[in-house]
Amino acid sequence: MITPTGKGPSPITEGPQCQAQVDPLAALRSPDDPPWDVYLTGTVFLDIIFTGLDSAPVRGTESWARGMGSSPGGVANMATALARLGLKTSLAAAFGDDHYGEYCWDALEQGEHIDLSTSRTLPGWHSPVTVSMAYEGERTMVSHGHEPPFEAVLDQAGSHDPTPRARAAIAALSPGRRAPWIAEVAARGTRIFADVGWDDSGAWDLAGLADLEHCEAFLPNAEEAMRYTGATCPRAAAHALTEHVPLAVVTLGAEGAYAVDRRTGETAEVPAIAVEALDPTGAGDVFVAGFVTGTLAGWPLADRLAFAGLTAALSVQEFGGSLSAPGWSEIGAWWREVQSVRSQDPAALRRYAFLQTLVPEEEARPWPLRRAVPTIGFRSA
């Protein structure tokens, strides 16, 4: 087991957004490549995160938080994680024409260099908002918003084929509902990676996930995988899922992750990195982003799992969703730091040795890095 030596910092520190310093696909790029590595769509929330709470808020009382952060959330967590890992990322989303929407647009386009050419600002539609309160390693969230008018985004895109060409796309599957864009991009050769949320209907019917037939990989958590397959353990559930999708990846929480590739017969299991979790918001999105990065780069299955788990572990050491998504600076700093600890298990270090040729050269920057911002923005002088 790797023993990390850093602890998540207070998020109330201003700093520049993380810029990718490594292109994990550099050796594979050619002039005939699609313009984007990953395409995704969904709802962008404005996330406001209160930190430094000693306990859960109590009814009838007022609680004061010692810290606060704000950032784009929802699908922006995944888009930011992908961009910080060096993938050319395109996001289609609706943005409100309020100050919140403007802030989220600027943070994603200018701060993270995410392509928003298929996104639209919709007059009269206000931005969804989530308030997250982090305490005792967990979080409680309160959200408000209306169903995003995604069809309006497509209608305003000015094209019969508004989805851009990309190597891969990430889809959130909805039980009982197809998303036509998934079949369209899959027919063009785009590799689809899918996750799924909790099935509130209680049906847990794989047949209801009709778009799974277009997917290369499915990444549910252990509980979701077992409910969908009826298996009594998550590893058996992963094998059962490969009857429906070529690659099944099941996250096991504190135990790590397990994956089965039907095409090669390969299986892999990588334990989790033990960390002091401050806020798990967005950790699942970061895991998927790390796995997609490794897959597009052609890494072995076990390396992809290890990398995805590492990026997720780094993310929970900071507060917020997109705020905490790690970039290559954090990954490199972590790798150098853990190698300096004499008591590290050599076998555990070898599991991450593939990072040696990837991480940037040492920088005079501390780890963990701090880059959250306390407010939506200050007025310019």
Side-chain angles (χ1 to χ4, degrees):
M1 176 71 71
I2 290 284
T3 303
T5 58
K7 178 181 177 181
S10 164
I12 307 309
T13 306
E14 289 191 68
Q17 294 294 336
C18 176
Q19 301 299 319
Q21 298 170 296
V22 173
D23 180 359
L25 308 187
L28 304 175
R29 296 199 184 278
S30 74
D32 298 327
D33 285 345
W36 306 108
D37 295 324
V38 185
Y39 168 78
L40 66 166
T41 185
T43 304
V44 173
F45 287 74
L46 170 70
D47 280 358
I48 299 173
I49 306 102
F50 289 108
T51 66
L53 291 164
D54 295 322
S55 61
V58 178
R59 184 174 61 180
T61 68
E62 180 179 16
S63 299
W64 278 82
R66 292 188 292 273
M68 171 184 161
S70 57
S71 68
V75 71
N77 295 339
M78 183 87 71
T80 299
L82 292 162
R84 289 182 180 174
L85 293 177
L87 298 188
K88 300 175 183 178
T89 303
S90 181
L91 169 64
F95 289 79
D97 63 346
D98 49 21
H99 290 306
Y100 294 167
E102 181 181 6
Y103 164 76
C104 289
W105 185 292
D106 289 346
L108 295 172
E109 185 178 58
Q110 299 179 23
E112 305 295 346
H113 301 285
I114 294 167
D115 168 59
L116 299 180
S117 61
T118 54
S119 292
R120 293 292 179 270
T121 297
L122 302 181
W125 185 70
H126 69 76
S127 301
V129 176
T130 292
V131 174
S132 177
M133 292 160 281
Y135 52 87
E136 299 173 357
E138 262 299 343
R139 87 282 198 209
T140 297
M141 296 185 291
V142 178
S143 298
H144 171 72
H146 303 284
E147 186 71 20
F150 182 62
E151 290 304 319
V153 177
L154 296 182
D155 290 344
Q156 294 184 47
S159 169
H160 295 296
D161 185 17
T163 56
R165 291 177 57 242
R167 297 173 189 263
I170 299 176
L173 303 185
S174 299
R177 235 170 67 186
R178 281 188 181 271
W181 71 267
I182 295 176
E184 292 169 7
V185 300
R188 295 204 300 257
T190 298
R191 305 163 72 178
I192 310 295
F193 297 77
D195 62 9
V196 69
W198 190 259
D199 186 354
D200 291 326
S201 73
W204 297 102
D205 181 10
L206 272 173
L209 301 180
D211 285 323
L212 199 58
E213 65 180 348
H214 304 297
C215 298
E216 172 174 331
F218 185 42
L219 298 94
N221 63 34
E223 185 67 20
E224 292 160 351
M226 289 189 291
R227 286 179 179 267
Y228 271 117
T229 61
T232 56
C233 84
R235 292 162 186 82
H239 285 272
L241 286 171
T242 59
E243 297 177 11
H244 305 270
V245 66
L247 177 58
V249 181
V250 177
T251 55
L252 309 174
E255 294 182 41
Y258 182 80
V260 184
D261 191 329
R262 182 186 70 205
R263 295 163 299 191
T264 64
E266 185 180 8
T267 64
E269 182 167 1
V270 174
I273 297 174
V275 295
E276 181 178 346
L278 294 182
D279 182 2
T281 304
D285 295 328
V286 173
F287 181 94
V288 173
F291 188 82
V292 169
T293 299
T295 301
L296 295 183
W299 299 349
L301 185 57
D303 288 355
R304 286 181 263 165
L305 280 188
F307 185 72
L310 168 60
T311 55
L314 292 178
S315 78
V316 302
Q317 292 188 285
E318 289 199 44
F319 290 102
S322 63
L323 287 176
S324 66
W328 286 101
S329 291
E330 288 95 331
I331 294 166
W334 175 86
W335 176 235
R336 289 186 292 272
E337 188 78 13
V338 295
Q339 290 181 91
S340 70
V341 178
R342 294 182 180 180
S343 60
Q344 292 289 10
D345 179 1
L349 284 177
R350 285 195 295 272
R351 172 62 273 155
Y352 297 88
F354 66 93
L355 293 173
Q356 191 65 48
T357 59
L358 289 168
V359 296
E361 295 182 4
E362 186 168 359
E363 299 178 10
R365 302 177 70 186
W367 178 81
L369 301 182
R370 295 167 169 81
R371 55 169 184 262
V373 294
T375 63
I376 291 176
F378 296 103
R379 290 184 180 275
S380 58

